[in-house]
Amino acid sequence: RKFLFHKFNQPEILDSELSSKPTVLLVGQYSTGKTSFIRHLIEMDYPEIHIGPEPTTDRFIAVVHGDEQKTIKGNALTGVNELPFS
């Protein structure tokens, strides 16, 4: 019998991943309430929020808890060592 365990190899888990808070990914068809759910969950609007019946969110958005409100563009977010996106 041949096993294919080598095909399921996972990359090394980084320290930032182990020490970070849980991450939730919302995926789904447009206009199903993903943005409204996030807005309800954090009890506020976030930058570049658009809600409508047509496709409105066309980019990756990470909502992260912090002491101050700020926006970091997605490509720059990967360079922040305190977050698990690097």
Side-chain angles (χ1 to χ4, degrees), residues 6-7 30 34 51 53 63-64 70:
H6 63 284
K7 296 221 180 226
Y30 69 89
K34 297 176 297 295
I51 296 176
V63 179
V64 182
K70 62 182 174 181

Side-chain angles (χ1 to χ4, degrees), residues 9-76:
N9 183 25
Q10 294 291 322
E12 178 184 357
I13 297 175
L14 304 173
D15 289 337
S16 61
E17 292 174 310
L18 291 173
S19 63
S20 68
K21 295 188 187 237
T23 303
V24 176
L25 175 67
L26 297 177
V27 181
Q29 298 217 358
Y30 69 89
S31 196
T32 57
K34 297 176 297 295
T35 301
S36 295
F37 174 74
I38 294 169
R39 188 172 152 212
H40 177 75
L41 190 66
I42 64 175
E43 299 179 338
M44 61 187 301
D45 289 342
Y46 54 89
E48 301 181 27
I49 186 173
H50 302 289
I51 296 176
E54 70 286 338
T56 55
T57 308
D58 60 353
R59 64 188 59 89
F60 174 85
I61 297 173
V63 179
V64 182
H65 180 269
D67 295 330
E68 61 184 80
Q69 288 186 13
K70 62 182 174 181
T71 301
I72 304 172
K73 297 292 182 185
N75 56 351

